[in-house]
Amino acid sequence: QVQLVESGGGLVQPGGSLRLSCAASGSIFSINDMRWYRQAPGKQREVVAIITSGGNTNYGEPVKGRFTISRDNAKNTVYLQMNSLKPEDTAVYYCNADLVRVPALGRKSYWGQGTQVTVSS
């Protein structure tokens, strides 16, 4: 089995910072792209940031210049550093990873359970 476990969410004032972590555990052969998504109440889930196994990154327009995605391949962990947070960043943040458990079975997508981020004064 594979698990993705997020941590680091919470309540923060506008302009503040939070760092989310997502650790993948279990029987893992390799991890390809890792992503952060978010979903606010009444809205569709949207991609926040993507990082490839080689470290290339891409960001959604609302977070460019404020959020930074990174990963530690040795720890099978992806991070999301969120700075200059705004009330509109309030959402449940989900980790997603494309990974291979067994080469013969190919690559599959796995999701974490989500962590709440609330930006409010």
Side-chain angles (χ1 to χ4, degrees):
Q1 281 286 7
V2 171
Q3 277 192 316
L4 270 62
V5 179
E6 298 110 331
S7 60
L11 173 64
V12 64
Q13 292 187 342
S17 298
L18 280 176
R19 188 192 194 208
L20 305 183
S21 299
C22 172
S25 63
S27 178
I28 299 172
F29 178 79
S30 65
I31 303 178
N32 301 101
D33 293 354
M34 303 185 82
R35 309 172 189 86
W36 287 98
Y37 285 80
R38 68 184 182 186
Q39 187 166 20
K43 293 188 176 182
Q44 287 189 333
R45 191 172 295 190
E46 63 175 355
V47 62
V48 175
I50 302 169
I51 186 166
T52 68
S53 57
N56 293 317
T57 60
N58 205 352
Y59 297 90
E61 283 296 330
V63 307
K64 280 184 178 179
R66 299 188 297 123
F67 291 10
T68 302
I69 189 171
S70 61
R71 64 191 285 172
D72 185 334
N73 291 330
K75 296 182 179 180
N76 289 340
T77 300
V78 63
Y79 306 96
L80 186 67
Q81 178 66 44
M82 305 185 294
N83 298 329
S84 302
L85 282 161
K86 305 175 182 180
E88 50 263 45
D89 294 317
T90 295
V92 178
Y93 284 70
Y94 297 91
C95 171
N96 169 257
D98 294 338
L99 62 87
V100 177
R101 292 185 57 205
V102 177
L105 298 180
R107 186 171 59 192
K108 293 184 179 180
S109 183
Y110 292 83
W111 290 87
Q113 81 288 352
T115 185
Q116 177 70 46
V117 171
T118 302
V119 184
S120 175
S121 55

